Amino acid sequence: MMDQRTVVKVRIMGEEYTLRTEASPEHTRAVAEHVDRTIRAILSGSSTMETHKAAILAALQITDDLYRERQAMEELGQDMRQLASDIRPLLPPTKRGDDAGAP
């Protein structure tokens, strides 16, 4: 199998990083820009915070956002499964997707 990694240079907090990634360069740059914006937003709220501490807080914030989105997706999936379960008896037997309509 061929390795499809590309090299992308990004800048975060004025530092250049060379990343090897399977993601597109556009995606990788967007992710790096999001990290940079998040760190800068944290630093703008404090005149004395060190950059590495702001980076840790940014990582925590971004991870919290990720976990909340995952939870929301799980809840949406549960809601969709429940809706499908509620609707299934209302469908004609041939459209239910089970063996109820089989002869």
Side-chain angles (χ1 to χ4, degrees):
M1 186 157 123
M2 189 81 170
D3 190 359
Q4 297 297 323
R5 291 180 177 253
T6 57
V7 175
V8 181
K9 291 186 180 187
V10 299
R11 189 168 287 279
I12 300 172
M13 295 301 300
E15 296 283 329
E16 187 174 276
Y17 297 90
T18 302
L19 307 175
R20 285 189 163 305
T21 179
E22 293 177 4
S24 72
E26 296 80 15
H27 174 81
T28 303
R29 287 186 196 99
V31 169
E33 288 169 9
H34 180 68
V35 170
D36 185 67
R37 277 192 312 273
T38 304
I39 294 170
R40 289 181 188 280
I42 290 169
L43 285 171
S44 72
S46 172
S47 61
T48 60
M49 185 176 293
E50 297 173 29
T51 304
H52 73 279
K53 290 183 180 180
I56 291 169
L57 292 175
L60 288 169
Q61 181 178 328
I62 291 167
T63 302
D64 181 56
D65 292 345
L66 171 66
Y67 276 51
R68 288 176 190 267
E69 288 298 320
R70 283 182 177 170
Q71 180 65 36
M73 291 299 294
E74 178 60 32
E75 289 171 7
L76 180 60
Q78 289 172 357
D79 290 347
M80 290 175 65
R81 285 188 292 278
Q82 183 61 50
L83 181 60
S85 177
D86 293 346
I87 290 174
R88 187 168 287 117
L90 304 174
L91 295 173
T94 57
K95 301 290 183 173
R96 290 183 188 162
D98 57 18
D99 292 332

